[in-house]
């Protein structure tokens, strides 16, 4: 789930269940994904967003890219998760409607129709998935090892650092991060960094830009 530059509110919850090899990300964004069905294909928009390539607003109806100067890969990250997961569960709330759909076996075959119901919940998008060991060639071993969990936690702090206005929760605990704390967490402290007894040079340009050298 990618945040835009102007993300200044909302809640994102990350949960890593190493016992069951399940990763869950839940984003209470101000604007969720619409729960609508394509009148031609009869495919629901959430299914299209998470499984179909070349369907972002950067493409024409013929699948041609409108602007080849854009960064990013047009949402392929979420689709790649579907295609590399043994189990992928999608939940979306939009305008008091709850959409649930499950994809299995790396997205192969046609999934069962979504279950749609009424709800009083706020808008959110939630994905829970079990990485497929064959896709990542781990010879049947779980992917959520201590090292991989440590890497994922680091990415959570990346999100917290870049989006100070968003409430970030990691395994149920609220986290926050500024640039100085981030450097310290990465092991770049004044006493041990390259064995030099030096302080970082700090320069605050404005409320949005700080420089550490």
């Amino acid at each position: 789930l990618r945040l835009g530059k102007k993300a200044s509110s909302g809640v994102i919850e990350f949960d890593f269940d190493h016992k069951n090899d399940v990763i869950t990300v839940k984003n209470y964004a101000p604007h969720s994904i619409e729960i609508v069905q394509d009148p031609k294909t009869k495919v629901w928009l959430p299914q299209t967003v998470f499984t179909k390539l070349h369907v972002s607003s950067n493409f024409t109806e013929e699948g041609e890219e409108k602007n080849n100067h854009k960064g990013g890969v047009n949402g392929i990250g979420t689709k790649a998760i579907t295609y590399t997961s043994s189990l992928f569960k999608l939940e979306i709330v939009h305008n008091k409607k709850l959409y649930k759909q499950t994809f299995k076996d790396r997205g192969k075959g046609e999934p069962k129709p979504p279950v749609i119901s009424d709800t009083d919940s706020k808008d959110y998008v939630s994905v829970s998935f079990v990485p497929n060991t064959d896709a990542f060639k781990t010879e049947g071993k779980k992917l959520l090892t201590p090292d991989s969990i440590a890497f994922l936690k680091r990415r959570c702090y990346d999100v917290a650092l870049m989006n100070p206005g968003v409430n970030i929760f990691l395994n149920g605990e609220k986290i926050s991060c500024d640039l100085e704390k981030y450097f310290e967490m990465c092991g770049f402290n004044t006493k041990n960094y390259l064995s030099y007894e030096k302080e970082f040079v700090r320069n605050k340009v404005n409320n949005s830009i700080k420089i550490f050298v």
Side-chain angles (χ1 to χ4, degrees):
L1 299 179
R2 183 175 58 188
L3 288 173
K5 292 182 179 180
K6 296 183 179 180
S8 57
S9 63
V11 176
I12 302 179
E13 300 173 351
F14 298 93
D15 186 82
F16 307 125
D17 181 356
H18 70 280
K19 291 183 179 180
N20 298 303
D21 225 22
V22 179
I23 299 172
T24 301
V25 181
K26 192 172 186 178
N27 184 4
Y28 289 92
H31 303 286
S32 183
I33 297 173
E34 288 186 275
I35 302 174
V36 294
Q37 194 174 31
D38 187 288
K40 294 181 180 179
T41 65
K42 303 302 180 182
V43 177
W44 290 89
L45 178 59
Q47 180 179 340
T48 299
V49 170
F50 283 88
T51 64
K52 307 297 182 182
L53 298 175
H54 294 179
V55 294
S56 81
S57 59
N58 295 330
F59 288 90
T60 65
E61 291 186 0
E62 290 74 28
E64 297 179 357
E65 198 167 8
K66 297 178 182 178
N67 186 349
N68 58 8
H69 299 295
K70 287 185 175 291
V73 285
N74 303 299
I76 199 172
T78 56
K79 299 167 182 64
I81 293 173
T82 307
Y83 295 143
T84 56
S85 297
S86 298
L87 183 67
F88 183 94
K89 292 184 177 181
L90 174 64
E91 283 190 16
I92 294 173
V93 171
H94 181 81
N95 287 345
K96 304 303 180 182
K97 291 289 184 181
L98 172 61
Y99 177 104
K100 290 185 177 182
Q101 193 167 23
T102 299
F103 306 89
K104 298 180 179 179
D105 195 20
R106 302 174 64 178
K108 296 177 182 177
E110 190 66 23
K112 291 183 179 180
V115 176
I116 302 174
S117 59
D118 295 329
T119 180
D120 291 327
S121 174
K122 295 180 180 179
D123 285 10
Y124 69 78
V125 177
S126 175
V127 296
S128 295
F129 56 96
V130 179
N132 183 275
T133 56
D134 290 335
F136 292 96
K137 299 181 179 179
T138 61
E139 299 179 352
K141 297 179 181 179
K142 291 184 177 181
L143 272 82
L144 289 187
T145 63
D147 285 343
S148 63
I149 290 177
F151 173 78
L152 291 171
K153 286 182 177 179
R154 159 75 181 275
R155 296 297 293 163
C156 294
Y157 278 94
D158 288 344
V159 175
L161 175 67
M162 300 303 295
N163 300 277
V166 178
N167 293 308
I168 308 296
F169 289 84
L170 174 57
N171 291 342
E173 181 179 348
K174 186 176 180 179
I175 63 173
S176 60
C177 189
D178 57 25
L179 195 55
E180 187 166 356
K181 180 180 178 181
Y182 188 81
F183 269 75
E184 292 174 354
M185 291 178 58
C186 293
F188 296 101
N189 57 59
T190 58
K191 294 183 178 180
N192 298 328
Y193 181 58
L194 297 179
S195 299
Y196 285 105
E197 299 287 341
K198 286 189 176 182
E199 290 280 346
F200 280 111
V201 177
R202 299 168 172 83
N203 181 24
K204 183 177 179 180
V205 178
N206 53 46
N207 290 333
S208 300
I209 300 176
K210 296 179 182 178
I211 300 173
F212 277 50
V213 181

